[in-house]
Structure formats: structure tokens, C-alpha cells
Amino acid sequence: MAKVIVITSGKGGVGKTTTSASFSSGLALRGNKTVVIDFDVGLRNLDLIMGCERRVVYDIINVINGEVSLKQALIKDKNCDNLFILPASQTRDKDALNLEGVARILEELKQSFDFIVCDSPAGIESGAFMAMYFADEALVVTNPEVSSVRDSDRILGILAAKSRRAVEGLEPVREHLLVTRYDPKRVNAGEMLSVTDIQEILRIPLLGVIPESESVLKASNSGTPAIHLDKSDVADAYRDVVGRFMGEDLPMRFVAEKAGFLKRLLGGR
Amino acid sequence: MSIEIPAFKIKTGTLPVLQLHILTTDMAQLKEQLALRLKLTPDFFASTPIALELSAIAESGAGLDYAELAAFMLEHGMCAAGVVGGSAGQRAAAVRAGLGLFTDAPARNIPKRDADQAPTVVHVVELHEQPELPGFSGGAAENQPADPPMAQAVAETPPVRATMVIDRPVRTGQRIYAEGGNLVVLAIVNAGAELIADGDIHVYAPMRGKAIAGAQGNEAARIFVQGMEAELLSIAGCFKVFEEGIPENVRGKPARVHLEGSRLLILPLMH
């Protein structure tokens, strides 16, 4: 049975699209037929990060409006045979999405794919709502700072109350925490929240920690998902994330911490 | 996310009220002596609400024209607000005349009928109003067994509602309202979340959001939390925020919150 996974965060700029690109690539590298959908209609970025922006002819809105078939709009990834990209429209806005259209596309994709990764836009408006509504699992991307954690908390609340699984009274959406742009040095200096601090607030299982790295910016600019980088912490971290998602028991790397910021802030005991 | 700014509050209060003890049902005599007394201090009663105390004439059961008396009092600057005591018939007549019914204050200072004394006595007592709010029952102890049962407007006891129990995290932006009852939360309540209950609130986890108990004015409502890290605490509209942080003795610890007068007290749950 195909799984729908939403990559979401609430806050912008925390690494949703970077994660969508690397996570879907990682799933595909393991032999899973995977499609990644850009829900950020009007501000499409996924095609840039995946390096396929010059091959975009049709997009998700064309498919929803019935102008082209899904097959015509899907773009095959240049790095992985099992990976396809469904780009967002640059010229439309989020109102062009509707639940029936999205439901139809997902149903059709479920026939031929193992994993459907939905890259959510920031915010809690209709675009983000469409991306999360049909999710079976959610990767909540959070930076180690208070406002990002707060926004993730809000998204988790919406997932628990307004997703299809919540509305129809099914088993709740499975939630995973992914902490990105993590810098243990700054955590130790008390400038950032620690993973423990974040988990203490959000209370969902930790899927992985992606270290802060300049290579992410380079990868984005060159149109190569970070997971393909050689000798990179970030690539290793994303591979661990995919491994854990597939059920492997891997030790948590790139986390070295002492008592965190929040603990000091609240005084502890 | 923002709390609506309330347009009004219903609260109970204990106010001193002047009582005019009526010792006769002879309207002419009453008026004459009242006029005489009021002439001595013309401005003393300016717009003062007065409760007519009827216990001395309750047994006689005789009627009195309350509308006429109220109009006469108003001419002299006294504002008849309602009646205290009296027989059922007398109270019903007072209601028809547009007066309110005070619940009986404990019987005291009922002067003996004395022909030599002026038949009117004015003195101040503490009058305990009965609250008419959900969560309170309206039955006050009867202090005048000689009286027939009074036709009192007693607020019906509201139906008991089941306690609302939440066992999942309450996250920022979520608002939970336990209408007419108590709220129990078994999971974490995060900053930016709101718990509202007309009754008590219990949180058996860290509490970092807002807790608003006694939302409809129940001053007896209480809040209990296992880890006090709240942003805002409120009981019956009396609230507290923690700009300077939560007091050391309860921060992050089990705590209880209740109202004492108009002061919100936050105390450790264990000593």
C-alpha cells in the first residue's frame, strides 16, 4: 500500500524543500518507487533543488484542471531511476488547488508508487492544508529555535485535528520529528535549543538530526539534493533518516550536547 | 487566538445596604414619621438604595401599598430597591410594585415593638446577596421559621455535566472549552494553547499555555497543574500573567490556584 508522507513545518526557511528532495531521493535510492510533489504553488522551488527546472512543462495545476495527464506532468529525476517529480505552478496561486483534485491525483499515484512525498509550503493556509490533509505520516521539520518549535507545535495540532485521518476518525497521522540546521557548538553555548529541549516541547519521536552545513547551500544552488553529496555530514544524516524511516535502528549522530537553553531559561530543578 | 474582550461580568458581591425596618402597616403613620425623620437630614439618603425590612409586620400578614411607599421614599431621596423578609403575600405584592427580593439576611437586630419608640429604625447591616450563577445552588438557610414558605426565585441547579478528559497533547493554537463542567488534561499543554472550563481545570503534565477556570464567573473554581509553567492563569475573570517569570516556589512544580477575594493565589501543591 502506497504511503503519503507530508514534509511540513509551519515556519518557512527551515529546510522543508531540502528535506523533501533528499528524503525522496533516499527512498528512491533504496529501490522504492517514489514521487515528490511540490505543493508550494506560486513559489515553486523543488524543481530548482532537484535540478529539473528546465524540464518543467506542465505542473500540478494543469493535472488538477484536467488539461494534461499525470504521466505528461511527471518529471523523471536525473539522479535516481525510481524518482519522479510533480512540480508546482509558478504562475498560479494556492487557490488553484482543491481537495477533490488533490485526492484524485494521489489516488492515481498510489496505483504505481510506493511513497508519495508532499512538500508543504510554509504557513497554515490552504496550500499547507492541502499538502497535509491526505497524509499517512508527517515529517515535522524544525530548527533549534523557539519560533520554529512553536510553529511546528501548531502544525502538529492541525494534523491531529484537521487531517483526513483525524476527520474520519482513523488511526492518527504518524508523526516524526526532524531537527535541521543543528549546531551542537551553538547548543552548548546556549544559543540554540537542544534536541532534548525540542522533544520536551513537541513530544513526538525523533527521526533524525541534520547538522548545519554550508554544503546544503552549495547543493541547492547546483540543483543536486544534499543526500548525493560526497563526504558530507548532511548526506550521511539524511541517509540515516531514510534508514530509520524504513525501520532500521541507527544511532543518532551529529548530536553532542549538554544541558540546553530551555532548561537554563526555565531554571530547571 | 485572542480572547474576546468580555462586555460584562456577573459576579457576586457583599455590599453594605441600608435597611428600613417597617414596624407598622399604617401607611399614614409611617409616612408622617418618615417625613419628620428625613427633614432632619434632608440629603442623607440621596439616591441611596434601601431594603425594606418586613419581618416585624410579617406575622400580621397585612398588606402595604409598596408602590405608594416607594414613590413617597423617592420624593425624599430614598430609593427603595427591594424587600427583605416578610410573608409570602407581602413579598409577592412587593414584586408587583416593581421591587426586588433580597434573600434573607440572618435574623438580627429585630427591634421589639414599643409604642414609645418611633416606628422606623434605620441601620446598616451586611447583606449577603445570593449568587445566581452556575455552580451555585440558591438555597439559603431560613431564619424565620414563623414565616410561610416564600415564593423565592431560586436558580435551578444546572445539570451536572461530565468532566471533559483530554489525553493528547494540547498544542499551540488549540483551544479546549469544557462548557459547564471541569476539564482534565493528561498530556502536555504547550505555550499558545488555551484551556477553558466553567468549572475546575486539572493538568497532569507540564502546563505551559493559558488556563481559564470558572469562565462564567464561578469564583470557587480552581486550577491544579503538575508542572506550573503557565503563560496565564485566570479564575472567574481575575487573571495573572508572568512577565517576570513564575514564582520560584512553584515554577515547574505541582501547584494549585484559587481565588481569595480578588487575588489569585498560586500555592505549591505539596508542602
Side-chain angles (χ1 to χ4, degrees):
Chain A
M1 186 61 192
K3 259 190 192 151
V4 180
I5 305 149
V6 63
I7 315 288
T8 186
S9 72
K11 197 172 188 304
V14 298
K16 281 184 297 298
T17 303
T18 300
T19 297
S20 296
S22 286
F23 184 68
S24 55
S25 297
L27 289 171
L29 286 171
R30 286 171 170 256
N32 302 296
K33 281 208 78 180
T34 306
V35 57
V36 56
I37 308 176
D38 189 353
F39 274 85
D40 206 347
V41 177
L43 290 169
R44 65 170 225 233
N45 283 153
L46 183 66
D47 49 326
L48 291 171
I49 308 254
M50 304 288 291
C52 65
E53 72 276 12
R54 290 175 190 281
R55 290 189 286 148
V56 174
V57 182
Y58 301 114
D59 57 53
I60 186 170
I61 303 302
N62 296 129
V63 182
I64 281 183
N65 293 342
E67 294 152 15
V68 299
S69 73
L70 200 48
K71 221 172 191 170
Q72 286 173 286
L74 286 176
I75 300 169
K76 193 172 170 303
D77 182 54
K78 62 183 182 186
N79 294 303
C80 316
D81 287 340
N82 292 318
L83 180 59
F84 288 82
I85 299 130
L86 181 56
S89 168
Q90 185 72 331
T91 52
R92 307 292 294 273
D93 61 34
K94 309 237 170 4
D95 298 335
L97 287 171
N98 60 65
L99 277 185
E100 298 85 66
V102 174
R104 213 176 55 237
I105 291 176
L106 292 180
E107 272 318 304
E108 200 179 331
L109 289 172
K110 277 183 183 176
Q111 306 305 316
S112 41
F113 287 95
D114 302 320
F115 291 105
I116 302 166
V117 178
C118 301
D119 181 21
S120 170
I124 52 172
E125 281 75 40
S126 70
F129 176 69
M130 299 283 168
M132 72 160 63
Y133 186 77
F134 297 100
D136 301 308
E137 311 212 11
L139 254 70
V140 178
V141 182
T142 303
N143 285 171
E145 46 121 353
V146 179
S147 64
S148 175
V149 174
R150 172 75 69 97
D151 289 0
S152 295
D153 193 43
R154 179 93 169 99
I155 284 289
L156 285 165
I158 295 172
L159 273 169
K162 294 191 179 160
S163 64
R164 182 183 66 93
R165 283 175 170 271
V167 172
E168 293 179 6
L170 306 170
E171 205 180 305
V173 176
R174 240 180 101 196
E175 300 152 339
H176 308 272
L177 175 62
L178 182 65
V179 179
T180 55
R181 311 195 65 168
Y182 196 71
D183 186 344
K185 218 187 295 167
R186 295 189 64 191
V187 171
N188 288 344
E191 299 167 4
M192 273 186 179
L193 297 179
S194 72
V195 170
T196 317
D197 290 337
I198 298 170
Q199 276 194 289
E200 164 55 23
I201 297 169
L202 297 181
R203 307 215 164 185
I204 59 173
L206 179 66
L207 188 65
V209 177
I210 311 294
E212 171 81 310
S213 168
E214 284 186 14
S215 58
V216 171
L217 187 62
K218 275 183 224 153
S220 297
N221 288 337
S222 67
T224 309
I227 198 167
H228 296 302
L229 296 174
D230 273 342
K231 294 183 205 126
S232 151
D233 285 1
V234 175
D236 288 347
Y238 273 119
R239 273 194 285 272
D240 282 3
V241 165
V242 174
R244 282 189 207 103
F245 186 81
M246 299 303 291
E248 290 166 21
D249 187 14
L250 301 168
M252 205 58 75
R253 294 194 273 174
F254 318 109
V255 192
E257 57 168 297
K258 291 185 245 159
F261 169 72
L262 196 64
K263 204 155 225 167
R264 238 163 289 159
L265 196 75
L266 295 172
R269 287 217 184 194
Chain B
M1 295 250 303
S2 68
I3 309 172
E4 261 179 49
I5 296 165
F8 62 85
K9 281 198 282 197
I10 296 178
K11 298 181 86 170
T12 62
T14 306
L15 303 168
V17 170
L18 282 175
Q19 292 189 18
L20 182 66
H21 286 243
I22 308 294
L23 306 179
T24 177
T25 54
D26 183 340
M27 182 65 88
Q29 188 196 6
L30 186 59
K31 276 187 179 178
E32 187 194 322
Q33 295 194 13
L34 250 183
L36 208 66
R37 168 68 180 78
L38 296 175
K39 215 182 266 176
L40 301 173
T41 50
D43 295 326
F44 186 74
F45 291 106
S47 301
T48 310
I50 307 275
L52 302 177
E53 218 287 340
L54 304 181
S55 53
I57 60 167
E59 268 177 78
S60 76
L64 197 61
D65 189 335
Y66 297 98
E68 188 187 341
L69 179 57
F72 174 80
M73 287 166 68
L74 204 57
E75 275 174 42
H76 292 84
M78 296 169 97
C79 179
V83 296
V84 187
S87 68
Q90 288 167 340
R91 289 173 75 87
V95 169
R96 281 195 298 277
L99 294 178
L101 295 180
F102 285 101
T103 313
D104 271 353
R108 56 186 139 167
N109 296 342
I110 297 176
K112 290 250 158 54
R113 185 80 197 258
D114 188 335
D116 298 333
Q117 269 190 339
T120 60
V121 180
V122 177
H123 63 120
V124 176
V125 298
E126 292 266 301
L127 187 85
H128 299 273
E129 299 170 35
Q130 274 306 115
E132 292 181 4
L133 292 162
F136 287 98
S137 67
E142 268 313 328
N143 292 301
Q144 291 166 301
D147 270 5
M150 292 175 194
Q152 272 195 32
V154 175
E156 266 185 50
T157 313
V160 177
R161 295 199 201 211
T163 294
M164 186 189 271
V165 180
I166 305 291
D167 58 0
R168 303 192 57 186
V170 186
R171 301 189 180 276
T172 186
Q174 292 186 312
R175 172 188 279 178
I176 291 174
Y177 179 27
E179 196 179 352
N182 300 336
L183 176 58
V184 174
V185 182
L186 305 174
I188 191 166
V189 179
N190 271 342
E194 273 180 35
L195 305 180
I196 308 172
D198 291 340
D200 304 335
I201 294 177
H202 300 248
V203 180
Y204 299 105
M207 163 67 202
R208 297 169 179 153
K210 299 176 179 170
I212 296 155
Q216 289 195 36
N218 182 354
E219 292 178 7
R222 284 163 186 256
I223 300 170
F224 303 89
V225 309
Q226 197 156 59
M228 174 59 79
E229 297 170 36
E231 292 175 310
L232 177 146
L233 297 168
S234 166
I235 293 175
C238 180
F239 71 90
K240 204 167 203 167
V241 291
F242 303 97
E243 220 169 306
E244 308 294 324
I246 292 166
E248 188 75 45
N249 63 331
V250 291
R251 189 189 303 156
K253 295 177 188 150
R256 59 196 168 101
V257 186
H258 70 278
L259 207 54
E260 208 172 89
S262 60
R263 255 169 27 104
L264 204 63
L265 290 188
I266 307 166
L267 301 170
L269 201 52
M270 268 91 63
H271 294 284

